[in-house]
Amino acid sequence: MSIQDEFTLDFARTERIGLEEAVFAAGKSPAQIDAILAAAEERGARFLVTRLDPERHAALTYRDRLDYCPVSRTAFFGAARPVAGPSRIAIVAAGTSDVPVAREAERTLAYQGHAATLIADVGVAGLWRLTRRIEEIRAHPVVICAAGMDAALPSVLGGLVAGAVIAVPTSVGYGVAEGGRAALDAVLASCAPGIAVVNIDNGYGAACAALRLLHAARRLAEASR
């Protein structure tokens, strides 16, 4: 069995759901990732690659063809899509340690051609940092919030902004917060109504949820014309 027999690429996903397929690199060998990118090249397709660690990236034959970000561990393969503004999505990171997850969301949105505003280090340990930027955050109809430890920030934002809030619990923390389960439990148990929650460290999933919201709003607006 060849390496290419191990995968089936979903080139029709955009037509079905409006989102392109992404390549999840974790657990794949460099040879498998190269084979996927070679198959994409044959079709003239683009790909977003997620969870591509620097060591695996360095071992790829296609590494010089990738727009790679080591912070978010994402890569773009193929022609870049122009990012159009204005930004309609705010990505809020509670602390600097949450930035890699926030950047994964930002890069996912950029790959799809959507501008986003990244606002970092506004966690609840210093609420003045949040309050001085709250009007900037409120200007966006969708807010993605990445927070670890006790993950209190999504609940605070849920009580302050009118837009959709998508919480991303992160694995940042130690002791009972280690691994992100405390953060996940906190946002699932939030008393702020209407907060959506994705899995631990899932910046990609949060960005896709934000895109689905914007796509739905656009279709509704077009249908009402």
Side-chain angles (χ1 to χ4, degrees), residues 8 27 38 40 110 115 153-154 220:
T8 302
L153 184 58
L220 182 62

Side-chain angles (χ1 to χ4, degrees), residues 19-82:
L19 300 172
E20 297 179 26
E21 184 180 13
V23 177
F24 182 70
K28 293 183 176 66
S29 69
Q32 288 172 322
I33 298 169
D34 274 329
I36 290 170
L37 297 181
E41 185 176 50
E42 289 179 4
R43 291 282 298 264
R46 317 162 55 242
F47 264 119
L48 170 68
V49 185
T50 66
R51 304 302 167 94
L52 181 61
D53 59 66
E55 294 76 18
R56 195 171 276 110
H57 170 257
L60 293 177
T61 301
Y62 279 89
R63 63 183 177 278
D64 294 334
R65 303 274 301 279
L66 297 174
D67 175 348
Y68 180 60
C69 171
V71 174
S72 63
R73 296 179 295 162
T74 60
F76 302 164
F77 176 76
R81 179 172 292 163

Side-chain angles (χ1 to χ4, degrees), residues 52-121:
L52 181 61
D53 59 66
E55 294 76 18
R56 195 171 276 110
H57 170 257
L60 293 177
T61 301
Y62 279 89
R63 63 183 177 278
D64 294 334
R65 303 274 301 279
L66 297 174
D67 175 348
Y68 180 60
C69 171
V71 174
S72 63
R73 296 179 295 162
T74 60
F76 302 164
F77 176 76
R81 179 172 292 163
V83 175
S87 170
R88 303 183 66 195
I89 302 170
I91 304 171
V92 182
T96 306
S97 298
D98 300 305
V99 166
V101 174
R103 282 280 288 158
E104 182 180 65
E106 182 183 40
R107 290 267 294 177
T108 301
L109 293 169
Y111 175 78
Q112 297 283 352
H114 287 258
T117 303
L118 178 59
I119 299 170
D121 201 19

Side-chain angles (χ1 to χ4, degrees), residues 122 124 127 130-131 134 151-161 190 192 195:
V122 290
V124 299
L127 276 176
L130 176 63
T131 55
I134 192 62
L153 184 58
S155 291
V156 173
L157 285 172
L160 293 176
V161 305
S190 174
I195 292 178

